[in-house]
């Protein structure tokens, strides 16, 4: 927005822009946008471009190579697939904003009240300040205060899955694990995703377990090494090597909200998890927010005096795609956690079928190929 000539005030609820100890995958449909913003090179220096993505069987460790995420991604889509530390992504973006406007980001400024008027919009902040503008963009995540103030909170439902996460210094891991490869371990009722970060110095771990009756949504709730290991009892020693070397085992419940068909009301519009929270099984949550943002900026730049028309065009481009991704992520849970993976003989046949080249392409090509940058 700032690059397109708009004055922007970012109201950040966190008191400081501290590092979040977790990874994020950015597929070529996202790195295309970051390139257009001029931040891809800086991020690329901090990230890992994986050489491959593999599937491994939960107990035997049998491995199937899916596709080359390095040269293949650039050759087919024009942009890389990156595995990034969230702190590095946040820092890169914040630095780019501050170069354009050192005063744009206000910290400790969570939105607590929204006045959505015909002549403008005003927010009251947790700092006690009030800020007014022509429009308000709610980019405040699954627990969006902007969405709640304007649309209502909407019911949050426990999906039946909890997730463990942690980041591990790669030096603690056996050499055969420390590869520039993204790995999906699949098994009955649960799965694990691992990949390298920060030029291979760190390794990211996310383990998802089907469970009933535990609904703590907090991103920073802590469990124990023993609890995490128990959730993956019987899994391959490589999985336990990862679990054993995590310093802090965070866990949280995966929640969902019904898809929204309208993301704007009056002078307020939503982006990212504020309007389309999704399960992480397509690795597209962050990328969908990145696509939303460039699309909204482009629509507003084309119609700077017609926010209603710009919001309408934005929704027409984005709602169907984001909601399709929600459904695809839910479908992937069934694929990753299928009971056929319990039997070793059937598991091999199942993986070879479900992760065949045509099926993988069908699941991901429509995502990776999109050019959300378009033309202003």
């Amino acid at each position: 927005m700032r690059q397109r000539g708009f004055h922007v005030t970012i109201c950040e609820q966190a008191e400081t822009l501290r590092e979040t100890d977790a990874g994020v995958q950015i597929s070529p449909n996202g790195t295309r946008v970051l390139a257009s913003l001029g931040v891809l090179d800086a991020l690329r220096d901090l990230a890992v471009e994986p050489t491959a993505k593999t599937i491994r069987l939960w107990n035997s460790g049998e491995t199937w190579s899916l596709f080359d995420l390095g040269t293949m991604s650039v050759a087919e889509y024009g942009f890389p697939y990156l595995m990034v530390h969230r702190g590095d992504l946040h820092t890169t973006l914040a630095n780019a904003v501050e170069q354009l406007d050192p005063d744009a980001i206000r910290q400790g400024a969570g939105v607590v009240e929204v006045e959505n008027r015909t002549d403008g919009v005003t927010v009251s902040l947790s700092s006690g300040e009030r800020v007014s503008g022509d429009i308000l963009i709610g980019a405040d995540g699954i627990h969006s205060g902007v969405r709640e103030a304007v649309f209502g909170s909407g019911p949050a439902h426990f999906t039946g899955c909890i997730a463990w996460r942690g980041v591990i210094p790669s030096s603690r891991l056996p050499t055969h694990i420390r590869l520039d490869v993204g790995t999906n371990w699949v098994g009955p009722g649960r799965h694990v995703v691992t990949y390298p970060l920060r030029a291979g110095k760190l390794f990211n771990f996310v383990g998802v377990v089907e469970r009933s009756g535990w609904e703590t949504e907090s991103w920073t709730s802590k469990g124990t090494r023993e609890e995490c290991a128990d959730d993956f009892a019987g899994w391959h020693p490589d999985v336990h090597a990862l679990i054993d070397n995590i310093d802090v085992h965070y866990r949280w419940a995966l929640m969902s909200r019904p898809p929204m068909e309208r993301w704007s009301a009056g002078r307020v519009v939503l982006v990212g998890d504020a309007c389309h929270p999704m399960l992480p099984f397509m690795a597209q949550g962050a990328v969908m927010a990145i696509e939303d943002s460039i699309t909204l900026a482009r629509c507003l730049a084309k119609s700077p005096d017609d926010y209603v028309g710009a919001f309408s065009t934005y929704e027409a481009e984005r709602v169907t795609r984001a909601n399709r991704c929600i459904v695809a992520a839910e479908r992937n849970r069934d694929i990753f956690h299928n009971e056929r993976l319990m039997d070793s003989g059937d598991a091999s046949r199942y993986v070879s079928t479900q992760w065949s080249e045509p099926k993988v392409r069908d699941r991901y090509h429509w995502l990776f190929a999109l050019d959300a940058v378009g033309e202003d």
Side-chain angles (χ1 to χ4, degrees):
M1 292 287 289
R2 193 69 181 83
Q3 287 176 346
R4 286 161 173 76
F6 294 91
H7 176 74
V8 179
T9 299
I10 299 173
C11 301
E12 167 57 53
Q13 63 183 330
E15 293 291 337
T16 59
L17 296 178
R18 60 188 180 276
E19 188 165 285
T20 301
D21 215 9
V24 60
Q25 300 184 62
I26 309 179
S27 50
N29 46 316
T31 55
R32 179 192 297 272
V33 175
L34 298 179
S36 77
L37 298 174
V39 298
L40 179 59
D41 288 344
L43 189 63
R44 209 169 183 173
D45 289 342
L46 303 170
V48 172
E49 293 184 44
T51 57
K53 179 165 278 193
T54 61
I55 298 294
R56 296 192 71 183
L57 194 57
W58 66 284
N59 52 359
S60 69
E62 185 176 359
T63 304
W64 294 261
S65 182
L66 291 187
F67 40 69
D68 178 349
L69 287 178
T71 56
M72 185 282 290
S73 177
V74 175
E76 178 155 7
Y77 303 111
F79 295 90
Y81 193 114
L82 297 183
M83 294 171 169
V84 186
H85 194 288
R86 285 179 183 263
D88 295 339
L89 176 60
H90 293 165
T91 299
T92 299
L93 294 172
N95 287 345
V97 169
E98 289 171 349
Q99 286 177 9
L100 294 168
D101 182 354
D103 300 319
I105 303 175
R106 304 190 187 187
Q107 299 172 43
V111 173
V112 296
E113 186 177 327
V114 177
E115 297 175 23
N116 188 11
R117 307 182 309 274
T118 57
D119 63 337
V121 59
T122 299
V123 294
S124 299
L125 305 177
S126 54
S127 62
E129 187 180 6
R130 285 165 58 84
V131 178
S132 296
D134 296 315
I135 65 169
L136 171 64
I137 301 170
D140 50 344
I142 190 171
H143 305 296
S144 172
V146 174
R147 181 194 60 233
E148 182 173 3
V150 178
F151 298 91
S153 60
H157 301 290
F158 178 48
T159 63
C161 290
I162 68 112
W164 292 93
R165 68 175 174 90
V167 172
I168 308 154
S170 298
S171 59
R172 298 180 185 175
L173 298 172
T175 304
H176 73 275
I177 295 179
R178 302 198 311 258
L179 302 175
D180 288 345
V181 170
T183 301
N184 281 18
W185 292 82
V186 294
R190 59 207 67 203
H191 79 282
V192 169
V193 175
T194 67
Y195 52 87
L197 306 170
R198 285 190 176 158
K201 295 177 182 177
L202 299 175
F203 238 77
N204 193 58
F205 174 96
V206 177
V208 177
V209 180
E210 293 184 5
R211 180 182 292 178
S212 60
W214 191 77
E215 301 185 13
T216 301
E217 281 193 82
S218 171
W219 176 252
T220 56
S221 176
K222 297 177 183 178
T224 67
R225 178 179 289 104
E226 292 72 24
E227 289 171 322
C228 184
D230 286 347
D231 273 345
F232 293 95
W235 281 53
H236 193 273
D238 285 359
V239 173
H240 286 276
L242 290 155
I243 292 171
D244 290 346
N245 283 288
I246 297 171
D247 287 326
V248 182
H249 296 70
Y250 293 101
R251 63 182 178 183
W252 77 103
L254 300 181
M255 309 296 287
S256 67
R257 287 183 167 84
M260 299 173 65
E261 296 301 325
R262 288 293 309 277
W263 298 350
S264 65
R267 290 179 175 267
V268 178
V269 64
L270 305 177
V271 301
D273 280 356
C275 49
H276 51 69
M278 61 186 66
L279 292 172
F281 303 153
M282 289 291 285
Q284 286 291 307
V287 178
M288 287 295 104
I290 290 169
E291 287 186 4
D292 288 349
S293 300
I294 196 72
T295 304
L296 179 59
R298 172 164 44 80
C299 292
L300 286 164
K302 285 182 178 178
S303 305
D305 299 318
D306 178 17
Y307 66 88
V308 173
F311 291 172
S312 178
T313 303
Y314 161 68
E315 289 170 329
E317 287 196 35
R318 296 300 306 158
V319 171
T320 299
R321 177 173 169 86
N323 288 346
R324 179 183 175 186
C325 197
I326 291 172
V327 173
E330 292 171 347
R331 188 183 304 119
N332 262 5
R333 173 171 66 172
D334 296 334
I335 296 171
F336 291 175
H337 294 186
N338 198 282
E339 289 302 316
R340 288 181 61 185
L341 296 163
M342 180 66 75
D343 179 81
S344 58
D346 193 27
S348 293
R349 290 189 293 271
Y350 175 78
V351 172
S352 296
T353 300
Q354 290 298 321
W355 280 276
S356 66
E357 185 175 344
K359 287 204 172 184
V360 170
R361 188 171 183 83
D362 182 62
R363 285 204 284 270
Y364 293 99
H365 179 71
W366 67 275
L367 283 164
F368 295 176
L370 181 81
D371 178 2
V373 176
E375 300 201 5
D376 291 331

